[in-house]
Structures are given as structure tokens and as C-alpha cells.
Amino acid sequence: MTATLSKRAIAGTLGKAETKVVGVVLQEALTDLIDLGLTAKQAHWNVVGPHFRSVHLQLDELVDSAREFSDSVAERAAALGISPDGRAATVAADATEFPSGYLSDSEVITLIVSRLDASVRKLRKHIQATETADPVTQDLLIGITAKLEEQHWMFQAQAV
């Protein structure tokens, strides 16, 4: 016996045009944040070198942050009547390439700094796009950007 689920729409509070803009922004941010968390976890498992422990632990902090941020973004989308899509195939379609195998701590730092830089740049574009469409979403993205910039700084500080 096959069960069928009815498709129920959640009604958001934004207008159609605003919902469209915010929907694109939130979906792009969601997939990027999920990918960031997966990338950081891959690096966490494969980092080696004299600074292994500090980098390993800092990567876990980044994983936790990325997971928290992706959940906040997905829940914001759902609250606005936008169905978030965090499926593996969706994330993989836009995923950033990351090397496999063991990587030196200095290489991991360089790769993660670059990845964080790219994420922050994307988020800044999303912040601009939501300025008029939805200041509440914009505020969420500003907070996430600030925390990722802090992570960017902390990883960079290990490389000097």
C-alpha cells in the first residue's frame, strides 16, 4: 500500500516578487553552508602535521557553525513558505571541489581560508539582494557573515 502525501503550501508574509528574490538567496546560502560544513568535516578527518590538534579542533568549530547557520537559513526559508532543499544531489550540484586524502595543516588552512573567503563574498551579495526584499533575512545573513569572517580571521592567524 502506497501512501500519498498531500502538498500543502506554507503561506509566507512576503509578496510574490520578494519571495522569489529571497527564495533564490536562501537556497543558494543553504547549499553553500551545507557544502562548507561538509568540506570542513572532510578537512577535519584528513588534516595532519605539527598543528594538527589546533586545526582539527578549529575545523570542528567551523562544522558546528556551518550546521547551525544552514539550519537557521532553512528554517527562515520554511517560515516564508519557501521549501528548503538540502538534499545531497542539490548540494553536490554547486559544491566546491576539495582535495581527497591527507592534507598538511598548512594546506588545510590555506584551503579553508579560501573557502571561507568565497562564502563570505557570496553572502555579501545575498545581503545586498535582500536589502529591500526582506530586511529580516538580510539581518540573518549579516549575522552569519560576521561569524564566518571571524572564522576566516582565526584560520588566517594560524598561517602567519
Side-chain angles (χ1 to χ4, degrees), residues 15-17 20-21 33 44 46 56 70 105 127:
K16 242 182 191 178
K20 185 174 181 176
V21 169
L33 290 165
H44 167 87
N46 288 285
H56 183 79
S70 62
D105 48 14
I127 289 167

Side-chain angles (χ1 to χ4, degrees), residues 29-39 66 70 85-87 91:
L30 176 61
T31 56
D32 190 58
L33 290 165
I34 293 170
D35 182 40
L36 177 63
L38 292 170
T39 297
S70 62
D85 186 355
R87 296 173 300 156
V91 175

